[in-house]
DNA sequence: CAAGTTCATATGCATGTGCCTACGATCTGT
DNA sequence: ACAGATCGTAGGCACATGCATATGAACTTG
């Protein structure tokens, strides 16, 4: 019966804002964006996992495949066929680390870099076009906000309040 | 070899901006947000699908279950157990439409509304807290941009350009 | 009235994914 | 040198999901 009788230190107690949940807007948007990428990925014969690998390999070089899998939130075992495929197509290089022969050093080949650039170019071009739909005033805040949230080390779980 | 020799009408030809792909930032953010909701949903014994139903039922009332499933991008057949569960717990009402007895009119019960409010309150409270991490200047643009993109009827597929 | 369609529902299949185990090669600490 | 941990790889189990089909009730159209 007591709904949320206890006063909250956050703006609203019961039904907060008038806006929909952030997640309820973000999830469909994510879906749509990923769907929008598919033609580009297909045109290059890449899966989303493969593209994630190409994307990630450019940043800081990664020493182990396990770390690579963790970085893109993939499964350590399921990523192996992806790497096999990329390697067989000459997009990545997998060589044993001379210092620790358990480890395979994974790196982009020049061709891999070329493919990644082409794919990412197409994707970002489409995304820029999408950002065009935003009022100029919001565009920058949106992208910067996204960058900030993306850079967060972690998102703390939302905590259930009153009701059991 | 010709990379992307053709000049583009969009800002950048090959490697566009310095920012990561929007999708590459949004997808992990979505994952994290959904994960963050889990404790709240668990506390109320709701699945994400069930919560989606509760959320959607409040807007414009929906005439058919099929339309409800489409609205939340769920499978028409797989949503039925979800509705069964919600109905058995007294959160929704399912009664045959007197005008078309094939159709079941689905609506929130007062208890369902109460639960939805409680859950949504918790979730939005967590989300507001998250928005706190954004510089105030970006916060509004971010939310408004998200609202705008969410309201788009569809996102056109990105088009592969040069390379096959 | 008959044919075709729509709805809610049950069921099955194929796939993608998370998780767990196993195994051989290799490294590290003792 | 030996025990234990780590890495890459293979395989299996469980589950969620997308897609397809089937069925009975009810509606619609000719």
């Amino acid at each position: 019966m007591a709904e949320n009788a206890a006063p909250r230190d956050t703006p609203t107690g019961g039904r907060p804002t008038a806006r929909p949940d952030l997640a309820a807007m973000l999830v469909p948007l994510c879906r749509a964006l990923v769907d929008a990428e598919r033609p580009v990925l297909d045109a290059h014969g890449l899966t989303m996992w493969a593209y994630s690998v190409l994307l990630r390999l450019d940043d800081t070089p990664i020493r182990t495949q396990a770390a690579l899998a963790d970085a893109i939130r993939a499964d350590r075992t399921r990523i192996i066929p992806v790497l096999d495929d990329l390697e067989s197509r000459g997009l990545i290089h997998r060589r044993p680390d001379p210092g620790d022969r358990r480890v395979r050093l994974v790196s982009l080949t020049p061709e891999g870099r070329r493919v990644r650039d082409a794919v990412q170019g197409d994707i970002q071009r489409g995304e820029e076009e999408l950002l065009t739909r935003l009022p100029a005033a919001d565009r920058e805040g949106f992208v910067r906000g996204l960058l900030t949230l993306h850079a967060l080390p972690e998102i703390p779980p939302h905590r259930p309040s009153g009701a059991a």
Side-chain angles (χ1 to χ4, degrees), chain A:
Chain A
M1 307 260 169
E3 293 262 44
N4 329 32
R8 303 257 139 241
D9 55 332
T10 36
T12 46
R15 295 214 59 185
T17 72
R19 64 159 169 80
D21 300 359
L22 294 184
M25 295 188 285
L26 277 169
V27 169
L29 178 58
C30 274
R31 257 187 104 122
L33 270 186
V34 169
D35 287 350
E37 291 189 6
R38 197 132 301 150
V40 176
L41 294 177
D42 286 351
H44 291 269
L46 293 178
T47 65
M48 190 62 75
W49 288 121
Y51 180 55
S52 298
V53 168
L54 295 188
L55 270 188
R56 176 58 225 239
L57 280 185
D58 203 39
D59 296 35
T60 26
I62 294 212
R63 245 188 58 269
T64 75
Q65 296 183 183
L68 172 59
D70 288 351
I72 64 177
R73 308 198 63 167
D75 191 287
R76 292 171 173 216
T77 74
R78 306 223 170 256
I79 210 184
I80 290 169
V82 176
L83 297 180
D84 290 345
D85 174 61
L86 288 173
E87 187 180 33
S88 77
R89 291 163 58 190
L91 303 184
I92 65 172
H93 227 86
R94 210 163 17 163
R95 62 160 74 181
D97 180 341
D100 181 343
R101 296 202 309 283
R102 291 171 302 177
V103 179
R104 311 294 177 95
L105 297 175
V106 188
S107 56
L108 275 188
T109 64
E111 174 67 7
R113 204 171 303 267
R114 206 185 65 77
V115 168
R116 173 185 54 59
D117 286 354
V119 173
Q120 192 174 33
D122 289 346
I123 287 176
Q124 294 205 3
R125 190 152 36 245
E127 290 179 345
E128 283 298 327
E129 199 173 321
L130 184 68
L131 288 178
T132 291
R133 316 277 195 94
L134 294 186
D138 298 337
R139 208 171 305 156
E140 211 165 316
F142 177 75
V143 174
R144 269 211 311 266
L146 187 50
L147 277 163
T148 307
L149 292 178
H150 173 252
L152 288 180
E154 70 155 9
I155 308 249
H158 303 151
R159 290 182 17 205
S161 63

